[in-house]
Each structure stands twice: as structure tokens, then as C-alpha cells.
Amino acid sequence: METGVASPVLPESRGRVSAAVVRCLRRTGAPPDARQIAGADPFGDDLQLALYLCYELHYRGFADVDADLEWDPELLRCRAALEWPFLEALRDRATRHESAREALDELLVEPAGGGEGGVGDFLQDEGELWQLREYAALRSLYHLKEADPHAWVLPRLWGRAKAGMAAIEFDEFGGGRAERVHARLFADLMTDLGLDPAYGRYVDAAGAEALALVNLMSLFGLHRALRGALVGHFAAVEITSSPGSRRLARAMRRTGAGAAAEHFYDEHVEADAVHEQVVRREVVAGLLEEEPQLDPDVAFGVDATNHLEDALAERLLGAWRAGRSSLRTPV
């Protein structure tokens, strides 16, 4: 199943800040100013959707939204005003480690959002097909643009870090084969689960926690000053992917989700086990060899990723264990 190149439609706003951004994208109003943004919860639906809308202009954009708004000065000022409280809140609440080594070593013991008692264990052991469908709908915000925001760091790296990052990205993009691009494989998984594989289809269904995870990699990817944090985020994703994917592959098989649904996670079990070694020995080690002052930034990228994964896991498991949907709108 092809995801196609069509741009998604603008989602429904979730408050005055995101409503103002929507009006700006439609050229019917001005973007929100710093005073309006100041009162918004940095982890809440309104700010996270507003930030998602600004970031999406750098990906596929939206239907009926002019492409030249990507670099509109007023929207860029708005985006900066949205980014600052999000970044500051993450630094305040998520920071746990001072070095990349400490942060990465802990990941091998406590996979973010998927360890003992986490989402991966729940879905593997007792998850039902409707819960797998919800999980896939939420993860589509990430997986249908998988590896895209990480590619922004390539011009900002050198030597071993650049070579290792490019090698992993080449795998993520299918190793030169369109049918093996990981975003394409996830679209096939969605089709197996009876979901719409169109890019951006489930933004309205996703809560702030899912939006924040996608926004995090865009935030890190678009700022050269945050290149260390982007490498930390990338490392956290790759190191936790193989064991997490193994659990999800078992969940897909147990529920009879379909061959493509199983294949996506089986592919990540094998590929990301290799990526884990490359990201630690070449990307992270290579970056810190060239720029040792970025060590705390790499650790922050790991910690911020874990913090947001844990927040999403709490939302999902809280809803599912109560027998209700975790989504804002049904799929």
C-alpha cells in the first residue's frame, strides 16, 4: 500500500494558540504572540498541536496551505515562542544524567516505555487487536516520517559520526529499495490492521503525549545548537528498538494481525540490533571525540526521549487497563 505524496488536511484546533496558528496557515489571521503562548501548558494539547503545525511545514505541509509559509518570519517567531517553554520544561523535568555513557547504559536495563510492566509487555502478553490498532495509529505520526528528522543532523556531523549516521539512515530508507523503506513497511502494517496509511491521517486522534514525541525530534533536528541532543534522541530510539520490536512482533503474531504487521517489527529486531552497536561506537563516540563539550547534550537527548515515552506509556496503559480508548477520536 502506498502512502502517496498528498499533503494531509489541517487538523482541528485544540485551544486558542493552535486555533491562531490554523488561521495563520489559512491566511485569515495572525499567528499567536508570545503573550498568548505564555499561558499554555508546554506539554498540553494546545501548544503541542500548534508546534506540530509549525514543524509540519518542513515536511509535507498541508493541503491548501502555501508552501512559502515554511519560512514566513512571523510563523518562525511564533515557532520559537512555542519551542522555548517546551525545551525549558524538558530540561527542568527530564534531565537525569550528566554523561551520555550513563544515560545509554541505563537504557540497556530499562527500555523507555517498553520494559517490565510497560506498553510492549502489555501488548505482548495481553493486548487485544483494538489496542494494537490504537498503538499503530499513534505511532504512525512517527513511523510515516521515520528517519526524516534525523537526516537534518548529517550536515552538522563530521568523520565517524557522519559516516555511522549515514549508514543507519541508508538502512532506514530501505538500502536503496523503495519497497523496503521503513515508512513504507509501516504503511503496510497499518493496512494489515485495517487502518488508513495516509500520511498524517491520525493527528486528530493523537493526544499531546504522542505529538510531543514527534515534536521532540523536529525540535532537535531543526536546530544546529541541539545536534548533540538529536544524536542522544537517535541513540535512545535505536538502542531500545530491538527488544521493544521483539515484544511487538510477538503481539502481532498472537493476535493474528497479519504478515506485514509482523514483518515490520521482525525487520526492526534484526536491523536495530546492528544499529545499536553503530550508534554507540561510531555516532555517539565519534561525535564526542570531535566535540566532547556536547556530552551533557547527548545525555539530555536520551533523557528527554525517555521522559516523553514514559508519559505516552502512562496515558496508554491507564486507558487500556480501564478498558477504554487512549485516543481522542476513534479509528
Side-chain angles (χ1 to χ4, degrees):
M1 172 67 70
E2 295 285 356
T3 61
V5 296
S7 299
V9 298
L10 280 168
E12 294 292 327
S13 60
R14 304 184 190 181
R16 66 176 186 172
V17 175
S18 54
V21 172
V22 169
R23 287 194 297 271
C24 179
L25 296 179
R26 289 175 173 157
R27 296 195 185 272
T28 60
D33 58 31
R35 184 179 302 177
Q36 289 176 290
I37 293 169
D41 178 357
F43 295 111
D45 278 290
D46 193 24
L47 185 142
Q48 288 299 324
L49 178 61
L51 193 51
Y52 179 90
L53 294 173
C54 292
Y55 284 147
E56 199 58 33
L57 298 176
H58 300 290
Y59 295 97
R60 295 196 193 181
F62 298 97
D64 301 323
V65 171
D66 292 338
D68 60 5
L69 284 175
E70 178 182 6
W71 300 110
D72 179 81
E74 292 300 317
L75 266 174
L76 290 177
R77 275 190 283 271
C78 168
R79 196 189 84 189
L82 293 164
E83 288 174 329
W84 184 83
F86 180 40
L87 184 59
E88 288 301 300
L90 283 169
R91 291 195 186 281
D92 180 56
R93 302 184 198 183
T95 301
R96 297 181 55 234
H97 300 94
E98 294 183 0
S99 75
R101 181 172 183 174
E102 292 174 355
L104 294 175
D105 283 349
E106 188 171 298
L107 285 181
L108 298 176
V109 180
E110 300 177 7
E116 185 68 28
V119 172
D121 281 327
F122 178 91
L123 291 173
Q124 171 187 256
D125 298 336
E126 58 185 293
E128 299 178 20
L129 195 57
W130 68 269
Q131 292 160 334
L132 286 171
R133 294 181 76 247
E134 289 196 357
Y135 185 78
L138 290 177
R139 288 298 190 185
S140 70
L141 274 65
Y142 167 80
H143 284 301
L144 292 183
K145 59 162 60 80
E146 186 166 359
D148 291 348
H150 300 134
W152 281 321
V153 82
L154 284 169
R156 297 156 182 175
L157 300 178
W158 184 252
R160 289 165 55 204
K162 183 190 282 280
M165 190 78 184
I168 297 172
E169 289 283 273
F170 184 65
D171 283 350
E172 299 287 348
F173 291 130
R177 295 174 57 184
E179 72 277 8
R180 297 192 63 180
V181 172
H182 285 189
R184 166 66 184 270
L185 297 181
F186 194 81
D188 294 340
L189 171 149
M190 296 178 75
T191 301
D192 263 5
L193 290 172
L195 297 169
D196 185 347
Y199 180 90
R201 168 66 176 79
Y202 294 107
V203 172
D204 280 325
E209 298 85 356
L211 292 176
L213 270 168
V214 178
N215 287 339
L216 182 73
M217 59 185 183
S218 300
L219 169 66
F220 290 164
L222 284 167
H223 290 271
R224 179 178 174 272
L226 296 173
R227 63 195 179 280
L230 188 282
V231 166
H233 165 77
F234 184 71
V237 170
E238 293 299 326
I239 289 172
T240 60
S241 177
S242 185
S245 293
R246 185 174 292 108
R247 296 182 183 95
L248 291 166
R250 291 169 181 160
M252 296 295 174
R253 275 190 281 275
R254 183 178 57 78
T255 57
E262 295 175 22
H263 176 65
F264 176 82
Y265 288 110
D266 285 336
E267 172 78 7
H268 280 68
V269 171
E270 180 178 350
D272 291 342
V274 176
H275 293 174
E276 173 196 335
Q277 300 301 313
V278 176
V279 77
R280 288 194 65 146
R281 297 175 183 177
E282 303 299 326
V283 182
V284 174
L287 173 68
L288 296 182
E289 183 177 68
E290 295 280 347
E291 301 185 273
Q293 76 278 9
L294 296 182
D295 196 13
D297 290 350
V298 176
F300 170 64
V302 175
D303 287 344
T305 304
N306 291 348
H307 182 80
L308 295 180
E309 286 284 0
D310 288 344
L312 178 60
E314 183 178 354
R315 178 184 180 118
L316 294 176
L317 293 175
W320 292 344
R321 286 172 175 155
R324 53 183 172 79
S325 172
S326 64
L327 304 181
R328 297 181 69 253
T329 59
V331 295

